[in-house]
Amino acid sequence: MMSAVQVKYLEAFGPLAKPCGITTDESMNIYVAQGAVSRVTKLDPRGKFLMMFGQGEGGWLKKKVGKVGMPTGVAVDPAGNIYVADGKMDCIHKFDAQGHFLTKFGQHGSGDGEFHRCRSVHIDPQGYLWVVDAYNHRIQKLDAEGHPLFKFGTRGHEEGQFDNPSDLAFDQQGYVYVTDSANNRVQKFDLRGNFVLAFGKSGSGDGEFALPRGIALDRMQRVYVVDRMNNRIGVFDTEGHFLFCFGGPKMLRGQLNQPYGITVTPQGRILVTDNLNHRIMAFSMG
């Protein structure tokens, strides 16, 4: 097991009201979904405010055009288009690089391409969208125009089943890791949704979780899991073996209060939305 001393706290950005999902673009600008205040905020790599969007546009009569309800996930494609998972409106909003509304797809329901509390959205290397459809207890894969391609997962506690999943991430081999929040575990699948393995259980010990939320991998293929109610980040290898954790009460600086989202930049900066402290925390491997 590695020591948490190897993780270095860098800085904090904020205040940002209850930040949730987080991602970066190719210029390392930061995008944060803020569900509680119905907007997405863009910052530069050092945390300087650049813009906010999702509050509606087009004048008073068209104020609801592009208005988001409860955004909790955000992704950016190579062209700079921004996709926002809206857990209240049960849809994915698409904005251009300047934050102007382009389109949206999805509606409330349990059919293909429908959502019930879509919590996060991610773009794979082929440009497909993967949506965590939390209250339908499944993952949906869509094309860039929002047409459903396939789905996997049902509600339950067995292998390949979910209970209120939150987030997903891909490794370099193309496997998919899903935080299965209410089951207090992470599950790993291939790109066809076939179960590979699971790790974690309820608790506060090493390798245990209390409502895991965000998940991300770095270039070394370490898996970072936001262990929300334990106020820490757990780090594992791709086979689910626990390595170390950070952000908890033993850290003199960089302590977390119900963290939510996480992303790791190609340069190795680890960005965590520290939800109840209303800020983004930046770490690196020491």
Side-chain angles (χ1 to χ4, degrees):
M1 185 179 70
M2 298 175 65
S3 169
V5 174
Q6 293 183 285
V7 175
K8 180 182 178 181
Y9 165 73
L10 299 176
E11 58 185 327
F13 310 144
L16 289 163
K18 290 194 173 180
C20 298
I22 184 170
T23 195
T24 57
D25 62 20
E26 293 186 344
S27 299
M28 295 303 107
N29 296 308
I30 302 164
Y31 300 76
V32 185
Q34 295 176 261
V37 291
S38 304
R39 68 185 181 218
V40 178
T41 297
K42 179 181 179 181
L43 311 171
D44 76 5
R46 306 309 306 176
K48 179 182 177 181
F49 175 83
L50 296 177
M51 69 173 180
M52 68 175 66
F53 58 95
Q55 296 177 299
E57 57 189 75
W60 189 252
L61 294 178
K62 298 181 179 179
K63 193 64 176 176
K64 290 187 178 181
V65 174
K67 183 174 176 61
V68 301
M70 187 177 68
T72 52
V74 59
V76 183
D77 70 18
N81 297 307
I82 306 156
Y83 298 82
V84 179
D86 191 330
K88 182 177 181 180
M89 298 177 68
D90 293 315
C91 68
I92 303 296
H93 304 269
K94 182 179 180 181
F95 299 85
D96 67 16
Q98 288 72 46
H100 300 305
F101 176 74
L102 296 175
T103 188
K104 65 180 179 180
F105 45 86
Q107 62 182 8
H108 179 79
S110 58
D112 292 348
E114 298 177 339
F115 307 111
H116 189 187
R117 190 59 65 88
C118 51
R119 186 164 284 140
S120 67
V121 58
H122 293 268
I123 303 170
D124 71 16
Q126 289 70 46
Y128 295 112
L129 306 178
W130 294 66
V131 180
V132 177
D133 190 6
Y135 285 5
N136 281 324
H137 312 285
R138 65 186 181 183
I139 308 300
Q140 292 200 66
K141 180 182 178 181
L142 316 171
D143 67 19
E145 286 72 46
H147 302 120
L149 299 175
F150 82 94
K151 61 183 183 292
F152 62 94
T154 58
R155 187 172 193 176
H157 312 291
E158 303 301 321
E159 294 178 350
Q161 295 183 318
F162 301 114
D163 190 356
N164 195 7
S166 286
D167 200 12
L168 64 81
F170 306 98
D171 69 15
Q172 293 172 1
Q173 288 69 45
Y175 290 101
V176 185
Y177 301 74
V178 181
T179 47
D180 187 10
S181 296
N183 281 325
N184 291 301
R185 64 185 179 183
V186 173
Q187 295 197 70
K188 179 179 178 179
F189 301 86
D190 67 19
L191 288 175
R192 296 304 306 169
N194 297 307
F195 174 83
V196 176
L197 61 84
F199 57 92
K201 63 178 182 179
S202 179
S204 58
D206 290 349
E208 298 176 341
F209 302 119
L211 196 66
R213 283 289 198 197
I215 189 167
L217 282 85
D218 65 14
R219 283 191 167 183
M220 300 298 293
Q221 295 299 273
R222 290 177 289 236
V223 184
Y224 296 76
V225 183
V226 176
D227 189 5
R228 181 169 171 80
M229 301 309 292
N230 282 324
N231 300 306
R232 65 188 182 185
I233 309 300
V235 187
F236 302 79
D237 66 20
T238 55
E239 296 303 308
H241 301 121
F242 176 77
L243 300 177
F244 60 93
C245 62
F246 64 94
K250 292 183 180 180
M251 250 185 135
L252 295 179
R253 301 177 67 203
Q255 292 183 12
L256 301 167
N257 188 2
Q258 293 193 25
Y260 195 111
I262 188 168
T263 192
V264 183
T265 72
Q267 293 75 28
R269 282 170 63 87
I270 306 160
L271 303 175
V272 180
T273 51
D274 190 13
N275 187 266
L276 291 192
N277 281 328
H278 308 287
R279 62 188 179 182
I280 297 170
M281 302 286 274
F283 302 87
S284 71
M285 299 299 295

